[in-house]
């Protein structure tokens, strides 16, 4: 009986080693990333220094198993790290998120040769990947994809263009989805290295938020790749994409939770110092209630995120519904919380000298990428229908 009660005290908490790693990451972020966040947003330049730091501190090893030089710590620890980074800088959090998104197709479906060739260099942070699914006419609807891959002798020849691709121009390789059977609308997934002839980066977008993460439109003009660059089975590319996104939307949820907590913490600290009507504004009930709701919704989003991460760690069935619920709720929460944070700061909230307007701009994308929230609702409703 004593044994059981000891287990029950641990059953709803993070393991101590997760907490220790989280505290280390928090310290690194506070010392090195937070002071850079405003500048990264203002210049819109990719923070190579932050990426190097994350590589050196084993943060970029979080998405990988130990056999590829990773930490082997699983989805929950990975998303705790994303959350901690996003509290200070959403653009920097994307560096870690894309290490998962661009490699998970290879981890789940790739050959041993592909895994051994690519994953260790990503675990050290030497290489960074990109995930190229969306197209100008095919965002939420991948079946409308126009990029093609045709077999020609010993090679696959890829033609087409992608859109809204994170890490464009920075990535060392791209996981590219292309139609390989036009008649049956079947697609396949390929690794395309950045130095392949016929590959170009295209234009980079000017964005509302996450400005330190390049988003672009890779172009493929008769790009030849060898058969060993096929990920998984020919014609099963949609399964590769969906199985990947089922897991990686937890990254968008974690980023959203981090943004929401960062905005709440900042607004709370501000409300202690700001004097109005002769006293700190955190003594005004209008402000107290805003802060209480911000903290409560963020805490609820975190619980849903951690629950879904734990299910991913265990390989539980029915994961997709939970990762969609976490992503939907966390991103809607981040948007709501950051708008409230601006209101708490009043006029100061609206100026770039203070970070909450940046947090609001960064929050918006979490409702859109990794599957729009409208798509998440479709996934959840479909799971409920059974």
């Amino acid at each position: 009986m004593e044994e059981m009660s000891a287990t029950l005290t641990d059953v709803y908490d993070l393991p101590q080693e997760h907490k220790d790693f989280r505290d280390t990451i928090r310290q690194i972020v506070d010392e090195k990333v937070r002071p850079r966040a405003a500048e990264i947003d203002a210049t819109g330049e990719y923070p190579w220094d932050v990426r190097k730091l994350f590589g050196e501190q084993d943060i970029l090893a979080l998405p990988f198993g130990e056999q590829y030089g990773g930490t082997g710590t699983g989805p929950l620890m990975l998303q705790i790290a994303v959350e901690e980074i996003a509290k200070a800088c959403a653009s920097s959090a994307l560096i870690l998120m894309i290490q998962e998104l661009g490699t998970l197709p290879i981890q789940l479906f790739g050959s041993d040769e592909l895994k051994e060739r690519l994953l260790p260099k990503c675990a050290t942070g030497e290489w960074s990947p990109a995930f190229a699914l969306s197209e100008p006419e095919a965002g939420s609807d991948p079946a409308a994809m126009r990029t093609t891959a045709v077999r020609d002798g010993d090679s696959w020849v890829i033609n087409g263009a992608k859109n809204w691709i994170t890490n464009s121009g920075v990535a060392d390789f791209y996981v590219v989805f292309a139609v390989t059977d036009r008649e049956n609308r079947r697609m396949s997934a390929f690794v395309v290295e950045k130095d392949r002839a016929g590959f170009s980066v295209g234009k980079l977008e000017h964005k509302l938020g996450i400005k330190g993460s390049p988003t672009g439109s890779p172009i493929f003009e008769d790009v030849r790749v060898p058969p060993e660059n096929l990920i998984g089975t020919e014609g099963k590319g949609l399964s590769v994409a969906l199985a990947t996104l089922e897991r990686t939307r937890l990254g968008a949820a974690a980023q959203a939770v981090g943004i929401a907590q960062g905005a709440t913490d900042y607004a709370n600290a501000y409300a202690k110092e700001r004097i109005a009507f002769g006293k700190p504004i955190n003594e005004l009930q209008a402000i107290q209630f805003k802060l209480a709701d911000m903290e409560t919704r963020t805490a609820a989003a975190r619980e849903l995120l951690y629950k879904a991460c734990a299910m991913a760690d265990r390989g539980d069935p029915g994961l997709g519904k939970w990762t969609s619920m976490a992503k939907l709720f966390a991103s809607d929460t981040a948007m709501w919380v950051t708008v409230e944070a601006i209101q708490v700061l009043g006029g100061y909230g609206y100026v770039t000298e203070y970070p909450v307007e940046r947090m609001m701009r960064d929050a918006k994308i979490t409702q859109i990428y990794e599957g729009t929230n409208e798509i998440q609702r479709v996934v959840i409703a479909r799971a409920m229908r059974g």
Side-chain angles (χ1 to χ4, degrees):
M1 195 64 203
E2 275 179 32
E3 265 183 46
M4 184 182 276
S5 61
T7 319
L8 287 175
T9 56
D10 300 332
V11 79
Y12 217 71
D13 199 9
L14 297 175
Q16 189 58 44
E17 57 267 30
H18 280 40
K19 290 181 183 172
D20 293 343
F21 202 173
R22 179 192 64 191
D23 292 345
T24 302
I25 293 166
R26 188 174 290 172
Q27 188 180 346
I28 292 164
V29 169
D30 280 340
E31 289 174 8
K32 299 283 172 60
V33 181
R34 193 178 302 279
R36 288 273 285 118
E39 185 189 2
I40 289 167
D41 177 68
T43 62
E45 289 170 10
Y46 182 76
W48 289 99
D49 57 322
V50 173
R51 169 153 149 209
K52 184 169 181 285
L53 172 74
F54 288 172
E56 291 165 353
Q57 299 291 337
D58 270 354
I59 292 171
L60 296 182
L62 281 164
F64 305 101
E66 290 178 56
Q67 68 270 43
Y68 303 111
T71 56
T73 42
L76 178 57
M77 188 61 240
L78 169 63
Q79 306 310 350
I80 288 169
V82 170
E83 178 191 343
E84 286 301 324
I85 300 163
K87 281 182 189 176
C89 177
S91 291
S92 296
L94 257 173
I95 296 174
L96 177 54
M97 289 159 66
I98 198 67
Q99 290 302 98
E100 182 194 22
L101 176 59
T103 60
L104 195 58
I106 297 159
Q107 295 187 61
L108 294 176
F109 298 97
S111 64
D112 289 344
E113 185 273 330
L114 267 185
K115 291 175 184 171
E116 282 153 23
R117 177 165 29 124
L118 301 170
L119 299 184
K121 283 192 164 75
C122 292
T124 61
E126 181 189 344
W127 281 5
S128 192
F131 180 86
L133 176 65
S134 292
E135 294 187 6
E137 305 297 323
S140 295
D141 178 15
M145 185 176 294
R146 292 181 181 177
T147 298
T148 59
V150 178
R151 197 68 190 255
D152 179 43
D154 273 353
S155 307
W156 287 96
V157 182
I158 302 174
N159 280 285
K162 296 293 180 177
N163 221 10
W164 309 296
I165 305 305
T166 298
N167 248 13
S168 285
V170 166
D172 295 275
F173 64 90
Y174 296 73
V175 170
V176 179
F177 294 84
V179 176
T180 46
D181 177 356
R182 197 185 286 277
E183 206 174 307
N184 297 302
R185 300 299 304 159
R186 289 192 177 280
M187 66 179 81
S188 305
F190 300 90
V191 169
V192 177
E193 297 87 352
K194 67 175 181 183
D195 51 6
R196 295 261 169 206
F199 170 78
S200 58
V201 171
K203 70 179 174 74
L204 294 180
E205 304 291 353
H206 299 279
K207 306 190 299 288
L208 178 72
I210 55 163
K211 293 189 176 189
S213 175
T215 307
S217 307
I219 297 160
F220 307 87
E221 297 173 290
D222 291 331
V223 177
R224 288 183 171 268
V225 298
E228 54 267 28
N229 279 26
L230 176 71
I231 300 171
T233 311
E234 181 186 336
K236 297 284 187 188
L238 188 59
S239 303
V240 174
L242 295 177
T244 299
L245 293 168
E246 179 176 89
R247 296 275 289 272
T248 58
R249 52 186 174 236
L250 291 170
Q255 184 186 37
V257 170
I259 293 169
Q261 191 65 62
T264 300
D265 291 348
Y266 195 90
N268 188 45
Y270 175 89
K272 289 176 185 171
E273 306 296 326
R274 173 82 161 108
I275 306 294
F277 309 105
K279 57 188 175 186
I281 62 170
N282 72 350
E283 291 183 29
L284 302 169
Q285 195 174 71
I287 301 298
Q288 290 173 352
F289 281 15
K290 277 191 193 304
L291 293 171
D293 285 345
M294 290 157 71
E295 184 84 348
T296 301
R297 288 201 198 182
T298 302
R302 181 179 297 106
E303 290 304 308
L304 193 48
L305 168 68
Y306 286 9
K307 157 84 175 178
C309 287
M311 290 178 71
D313 268 322
R314 291 191 299 262
D316 287 358
L319 177 66
K321 180 176 113 171
W322 286 89
T323 63
S324 282
M325 291 196 299
K327 194 272 188 188
L328 167 67
F329 188 78
S331 58
D332 281 353
T333 297
M335 197 66 224
W336 181 85
V337 164
T338 53
V339 170
E340 289 294 283
I342 290 174
Q343 197 68 19
V344 171
L345 268 71
Y348 289 119
Y350 201 72
V351 298
T352 56
E353 199 180 327
Y354 291 78
V356 289
E357 61 83 33
R358 180 185 82 238
M359 291 169 169
M360 183 195 78
R361 289 185 287 106
D362 288 342
K364 183 62 206 170
I365 192 62
T366 65
Q367 296 178 306
I368 297 168
Y369 64 12
E370 294 278 344
T372 64
N373 282 4
E374 289 72 23
I375 292 291
Q376 305 308 334
R377 290 180 172 96
V378 169
V379 173
I380 296 159
R382 198 174 281 159
M384 291 169 71
R385 289 205 313 268

